[in-house]
Amino acid sequence: MRPAVIGLSVFLVLIAWASLVPRLAPHSTMIRTVPRIHSYLATDEPALFSVDFLISDPDGLPAMEDAYETLWIEGDETFALDLVSLDARGTTVIDKVTMHQFVLRMAPRFHTVPFAVQIDEAALHARLVDGREMVFPMGAFSYRTHTSHEGPLRLEHLHNLYGSFGEGVTSQGMLLGLHNESGETLHIDSVSLGSERVSVHTPLITRNATPFEQGMDISKLVDERNVHTPLLEGNETMQFAIRFDFTTDLNLLYRYPLMIEYSVGEASYAFVLEDFMFINANPYAMENAPLFKEVTIHAPASD
Amino acid sequence: MKKLILCLFVLTALLFDASTLGAGEYLTYEEITFHGRNQKLLRDFNEFDYNRLYSQLGRRRFFGWRTATNMSNVPVSFKKETLYVIVNEGETPIRQNFTFRQSEQTSRQISSSGSIGLDLSGDIRAFEAGLESSLNFSFETKRSTMIEEAVDIHIQVDPWTRLEVEIYGEGMITNGVGRRYKFFRNTKSGGWEIFTLQSEHYSIVKSEIER
């Protein structure tokens, strides 16, 4: 009888130990972000920008707006930021762990006119109230100011062209409908997305007679190429299909500005669309898993 | 008389059975377009489609589901909605500032028909009665959301011009039918459908207004 009681007691102790061990084990917080191309263009007012991340512990300090003391972007120089908000954005599952999505929205303290910065491997730094410092890999970051100088060029339509990046999708071009309101020939001198890591493939492709298509895969353009000097005759409307050339391995691009510099006769003008979300995709979808980067947290330096 | 009432009751139940559809948000989109032939949404299944798929289910089971797949991860394009409209019926251009914010949405949405219901009790939508585990697909078990963004746009709208911001997108559809058995008795039957949202694309479109 006694061995049975001892055996049962040992069994119960083992069960209790097995159930307690996971709770006693040190709990490490996982934080992930997806670096991408950040391109911001400001005209009259500073451009706000955002960095999103996933965190396994939604009650931890990095998930609390009040916990952020100072924020800055580090490249060759340091660019100070003000936190505008920290917003929660649902959940997603990575490696069977439920991760909570947050977006840090920030305003630049460094905004002056004129201003231009390009950092190829930027990192967002955040000092928390407990003295720890978080480092978010951002990818390519550019911020520049530009004064719009409006002339006779009118935007007729703007449509994203998507392409694959790994197993996910990213913006890889656009359909751009333009109208020349003047009676003279209008020359398009440059089309820019603000970032030096993305350039517009030239010559542009025209798709004059092709009707507007929805949700277009850029690979469908291959057979429709038609090399064209980018100009619009007086009162002409033209649709351009634009491909992007990426000079970085990281070409995740969702939201960016558009700047078109053009001339009519001797006069030069600039059309500026400060910000447009061309594509809304979940950067944390599993097909983007190879792009996930760890957000590191460093303990405060001890004196 | 009792037989007549019983027949009417059964007929009503059958009619109700065929038309009930637990719907995901994607069914509210303005247009959903397949790229191939003979591809259709569950809501467009007719009696012939149901009978064809039910005939593939095989023998009754003692307990559990029998399912048949009509389409598996078939790509679709969609026009979700017109998000913003600015109309300038004046004689001078207007410079308009506007903000739009995407609402939270799940990247995986489900619908059902017949007596297959949806479990809406938690924050994760699922088919009830364990249908999902019998489908031979690997789906995410929790919802994941698209990044919610607020976008400020400053744009000029010319006289007698209408400007619209539209959302288009891409997704994948998987659908089929299923029957659930208990002690060889068929207790649930109908269609199921899973929509996986891949991406949304925003467009600006201007058009002239007739004077």
Side-chain angles (χ1 to χ4, degrees):
Chain A
M1 191 67 182
R2 186 174 288 173
V5 171
I6 292 170
L8 185 64
S9 303
V10 170
F11 177 74
L12 289 173
V13 168
L14 282 173
I15 292 284
W17 179 79
S19 63
L20 280 174
V21 161
R23 292 181 205 177
L24 297 173
H27 177 71
S28 61
T29 301
M30 277 202 305
I31 311 178
R32 299 282 184 273
T33 188
V34 176
R36 66 198 73 158
I37 295 172
H38 292 262
S39 180
Y40 301 95
L41 188 76
T43 49
D44 305 327
E45 296 174 1
L48 298 183
F49 51 92
S50 57
V51 170
D52 49 72
F53 65 93
L54 294 180
I55 184 168
S56 58
D57 177 12
D59 300 319
L61 273 188
M64 296 176 185
E65 188 172 321
D66 295 341
Y68 288 82
E69 274 195 343
T70 50
L71 289 150
W72 69 97
I73 289 174
E74 215 158 271
D76 294 338
E77 297 174 55
T78 296
F79 301 95
L81 308 164
D82 286 319
L83 180 64
V84 175
S85 65
L86 175 69
D87 303 323
R89 292 282 176 270
T91 59
T92 192
V93 175
I94 295 175
D95 295 335
K96 297 180 181 174
V97 177
T98 299
M99 303 287 279
H100 302 262
Q101 196 168 319
F102 289 87
V103 181
L104 282 162
R105 297 190 190 283
M106 295 156 287
R109 280 193 196 171
F110 52 83
H111 176 87
T112 53
V113 180
F115 185 89
V117 64
Q118 169 81 40
I119 306 170
D120 288 343
E121 289 189 24
L124 170 69
H125 293 247
R127 177 152 299 121
L128 303 178
V129 287
D130 63 358
R132 290 184 297 165
E133 186 179 318
M134 298 177 70
V135 181
F136 301 78
M138 287 177 71
F141 172 80
S142 63
Y143 187 98
R144 63 191 68 236
T145 55
H146 196 281
T147 306
S148 171
H149 186 195
E150 288 177 10
L153 186 68
R154 293 285 173 267
L155 179 72
E156 290 298 308
H157 62 252
L158 185 61
H159 190 81
N160 179 58
L161 293 177
Y162 68 89
S164 57
F165 179 56
E167 293 182 27
V169 292
T170 182
S171 181
Q172 289 191 357
M174 67 174 75
L175 284 180
L176 185 60
L178 297 174
H179 174 69
N180 176 11
E181 269 196 342
S182 77
E184 299 174 65
T185 305
L186 182 155
H187 293 266
I188 295 173
D189 301 320
S190 71
V191 180
S192 167
L193 311 184
S195 173
E196 291 173 13
R197 300 280 69 82
V198 195
S199 57
V200 170
H201 187 83
T202 50
L204 304 180
I205 304 161
T206 62
R207 302 178 67 248
N208 227 356
T210 312
F212 184 75
E213 292 179 42
Q214 65 175 32
M216 197 164 165
D217 185 337
I218 198 163
S219 64
K220 292 178 186 168
L221 280 175
V222 172
D223 295 328
E224 299 179 32
R225 266 190 186 215
N226 181 14
V227 176
H228 179 78
T229 309
L231 59 79
L232 293 163
E233 298 296 347
N235 297 308
E236 187 181 26
T237 301
M238 181 84 75
Q239 177 172 253
F240 298 95
I242 293 175
R243 288 173 186 279
F244 302 154
D245 287 331
F246 294 88
T247 56
T248 170
D249 292 337
L250 184 76
N251 60 6
L252 213 55
L253 182 64
Y254 296 151
R255 178 177 176 172
Y256 46 90
L258 172 67
M259 186 167 59
I260 303 170
E261 291 181 319
Y262 62 98
S263 51
V264 180
E266 296 297 312
S268 296
Y269 304 96
F271 170 87
V272 175
L273 185 66
E274 294 98 328
D275 178 29
F276 192 65
M277 183 160 57
F278 287 83
I279 183 168
N280 185 24
N282 180 6
Y284 300 102
M286 284 318 293
E287 54 264 28
N288 286 335
L291 306 177
F292 295 175
K293 294 283 183 192
E294 186 179 356
V295 175
T296 53
I297 303 186
H298 304 283
S302 54
D303 297 321
Chain B
M1 186 63 183
K2 278 183 182 174
K3 281 183 182 173
L4 181 65
I5 291 170
L6 189 64
C7 283
L8 282 172
F9 177 77
V10 170
L11 193 64
T12 309
L14 282 172
L15 284 172
F16 182 73
D17 190 50
S19 60
T20 305
L21 191 72
E25 187 207 354
Y26 67 99
L27 293 176
T28 65
Y29 293 175
E30 284 184 28
E31 295 167 24
I32 296 180
T33 310
F34 287 98
H35 306 297
R37 294 176 61 196
N38 300 323
Q39 296 172 337
K40 58 171 74 170
L41 292 171
L42 177 63
R43 69 179 174 195
D44 299 323
F45 278 18
N46 55 31
E47 195 179 343
F48 174 79
D49 296 317
Y50 278 106
N51 290 336
R52 177 177 58 82
L53 290 164
Y54 282 141
S55 68
Q56 297 171 15
L57 290 178
R59 291 187 304 162
R60 288 167 180 262
R61 292 184 65 176
F62 176 67
F63 207 89
W65 287 93
R66 290 260 187 228
T67 60
T69 303
N70 181 51
M71 300 189 311
S72 175
N73 282 331
V74 170
V76 290
S77 300
F78 61 83
K79 179 182 178 186
K80 184 179 179 183
E81 61 182 319
T82 300
L83 198 63
Y84 214 95
V85 179
I86 303 168
V87 178
N88 181 5
E89 292 182 329
E91 297 299 333
T92 54
I94 55 172
R95 187 152 178 87
Q96 186 81 29
N97 299 345
F98 62 95
T99 300
F100 61 85
R101 181 181 281 273
Q102 263 298 95
S103 58
E104 185 180 85
Q105 59 191 311
T106 54
S107 53
R108 179 181 158 279
Q109 301 167 28
I110 58 175
S111 297
S112 65
S113 67
S115 51
I116 297 178
L118 303 180
D119 180 3
L120 309 176
S121 56
D123 62 350
I124 311 153
R125 281 197 166 195
F127 295 111
E128 65 176 9
L131 166 62
E132 205 144 321
S133 59
S134 71
L135 301 174
N136 292 322
F137 307 103
S138 63
F139 298 116
E140 290 178 58
T141 53
K142 296 246 179 179
R143 66 179 178 172
S144 65
T145 56
M146 311 286 273
I147 283 279
E148 185 178 278
E149 292 278 11
V151 180
D152 300 309
I153 292 184
H154 313 279
I155 199 163
Q156 179 170 310
V157 186
D158 299 324
W160 298 98
T161 300
R162 175 188 177 91
L163 181 144
E164 295 180 343
V165 177
E166 297 171 338
I167 306 178
Y168 296 90
E170 310 291 320
M172 289 190 295
I173 291 282
T174 300
N175 60 24
V177 301
R179 276 185 174 148
R180 190 185 188 213
Y181 297 98
K182 280 183 182 173
F183 306 106
F184 296 113
R185 273 187 59 244
N186 177 205
T187 56
K188 285 181 185 296
S189 63
W192 52 268
E193 185 165 77
I194 298 163
F195 171 73
T196 307
L197 177 61
Q198 291 177 300
S199 59
E200 292 180 342
H201 313 277
Y202 290 72
S203 297
I204 296 176
V205 181
K206 281 184 185 171
S207 54
E208 280 186 24
I209 306 169
E210 283 189 26
R211 295 171 188 241

